[in-house]
Amino acid sequence: MFAYRILSCLPLGLLYLLAWPGYLLLYYLAGYRKAVVRQNLQQAFPDESEKALTVLAKKFYRQLVQVALEIVKTRRMSAAAIRERVSLVHPELVREYSSDFQQPLIILSIHQGNWEWMLHGISTALDVPAEVIYKPLHSQSAEQLMQEVRSRFGVRPVAMADAPRQILRSRRQFRVIGMLADQSPIRSQRSYWTRFLNGEAAFYRGPGVIAHSAALPVLFSQCRRLAPGRYEVEFHEVARPPYNGSPDAIIDRYVQLAEQAIRDEPESWLWSNRRWKRSRPASQDA
């Protein structure tokens, strides 16, 4: 935590200079999850050459280090600095619900660009109350760090286990609820299985079930990296009530938008995540 606090005091320009040796250390010396990244890239882009996949992997690691340092820097940034560095495309899709709407608005996204700055950019630019649903980390120090980052600018972190109860209990209060829904569910949870980047992948059913049962609208936010420290968040409609079909249709649309966002900018997605570590159980038919 001491090193984190020291780094957060440094200007972004200096942090980007430190990112280069950080990349060399992470990629060449530590080899952080290189086998996982390689396997994921081969899964997603089977027609690419080994050389092209190596180039893509190196771009990913360079951006990963830069984004990690940007996230650390969040502790010392002002709301004005966030607004300057994160621009919004189609913010009217959020404003449509922020005036007289008396229910939450769910915004689904993925680990792409700077996912921590993304929700801060939305809440500070549009001046709307916001919550972020998160999966607690095993490391206590890392969890404390991320709590500090995520609670900046009035954003309220809500643990994933508490999310359904919290959302339904306050379903008559408008706020933006951000969820990064591209992680693999744990085995004990019933998952929704579908095709994702050329492979079978499990997704949390929760976002679709909650939106469907509480009649909540759902948007997708795509975070593009324009330059180091500069991002663009574009909103897409996923679904809006009234709902007639299955809640899984919401997840289908989300997966479609997530895959397109990754293909548009593959180097900035979190390829180090073990996304395809599970196989579809025989009990869950295709």
Side-chain angles (χ1 to χ4, degrees):
M1 288 295 293
F2 177 74
Y4 154 65
R5 294 181 185 280
I6 293 297
L7 287 172
S8 69
C9 294
L10 300 178
L12 272 172
L14 182 53
L15 289 177
Y16 290 133
L17 291 178
L18 295 175
W20 179 251
Y23 154 70
L24 297 177
L25 189 67
L26 195 68
Y27 183 80
Y28 288 102
L29 188 60
Y32 173 71
R33 293 194 176 184
K34 286 180 73 172
V36 173
V37 172
R38 191 66 168 199
Q39 184 177 11
N40 286 346
L41 289 173
Q42 289 171 338
Q43 162 81 54
F45 306 108
D47 298 328
E48 292 290 348
S49 67
E50 290 298 308
K51 181 178 180 181
L53 294 180
T54 298
V55 170
L56 183 53
K58 290 180 177 180
K59 287 182 178 179
F60 159 70
Y61 278 99
R62 286 196 293 270
Q63 287 203 24
L64 180 63
V65 175
Q66 291 181 357
V67 169
L69 291 171
E70 289 171 358
I71 292 173
V72 166
K73 181 62 180 175
T74 309
R75 177 176 173 267
R76 304 286 294 189
M77 294 179 68
S78 65
I82 290 289
R83 286 193 295 268
E84 180 185 353
R85 293 181 174 278
V86 181
S87 59
L88 305 183
V89 179
H90 301 313
E92 66 274 6
L93 290 176
V94 178
R95 290 195 180 100
E96 177 183 352
Y97 299 103
S98 65
S99 55
D100 300 318
F101 197 63
Q102 298 300 311
Q103 287 180 287
L105 168 64
I106 295 176
I107 299 183
L108 302 180
S109 194
I110 59 177
H111 288 82
Q112 187 177 46
N114 188 323
W115 52 89
E116 299 294 345
W117 283 10
M118 176 170 52
L119 188 58
H120 291 317
I122 295 170
S123 65
T124 57
L126 300 179
D127 192 26
V128 294
E131 295 176 354
V132 57
I133 310 303
Y134 73 99
K135 183 187 292 187
L137 301 173
H138 297 296
S139 167
Q140 185 175 356
S141 60
E143 174 69 8
Q144 182 181 346
L145 185 156
M146 293 313 300
Q147 284 282 352
E148 189 173 348
V149 167
R150 287 170 179 157
S151 60
R152 292 278 289 154
F153 315 115
V155 174
R156 181 186 178 197
V158 177
M160 188 178 294
D162 301 327
R165 182 173 61 255
Q166 169 64 21
I167 293 171
L168 294 175
R169 184 171 56 201
S170 305
R171 62 183 178 274
R172 298 304 177 193
Q173 299 174 10
F174 171 76
R175 63 206 184 278
V176 167
I177 301 175
M179 303 184 190
L180 295 168
D182 56 340
Q183 292 177 297
S184 182
I186 59 177
R187 291 184 182 276
S188 62
Q189 291 187 306
R190 182 166 174 78
S191 307
Y192 179 62
W193 287 85
T194 188
R195 296 287 295 179
F196 177 59
L197 293 173
N198 298 309
E200 289 277 294
F203 287 84
Y204 286 103
R205 271 199 158 100
V209 172
I210 292 171
H212 199 275
S213 62
L216 304 181
V218 183
L219 300 181
F220 176 79
S221 59
Q222 178 179 354
C223 186
R224 297 188 186 90
R225 192 171 197 262
L226 306 178
R230 302 283 177 178
Y231 296 91
E232 177 184 83
V233 177
E234 181 174 2
F235 298 104
H236 305 266
E237 185 170 272
V238 175
R240 66 169 64 201
Y243 297 120
N244 297 316
S246 166
D248 293 336
I250 296 173
I251 305 303
D252 280 329
R253 176 60 176 158
Y254 163 74
V255 171
Q256 178 187 29
L257 290 166
E259 182 167 329
Q260 185 58 57
I262 293 166
R263 293 191 182 281
D264 287 347
E265 193 180 332
E267 66 274 11
S268 67
W269 191 54
L270 194 62
W271 294 102
S272 54
N273 182 25
R274 294 186 175 93
R275 191 60 187 84
W276 291 273
K277 61 185 177 182
R278 295 172 51 196
S279 299
R280 182 198 293 259
S283 60
Q284 297 188 28
D285 298 332

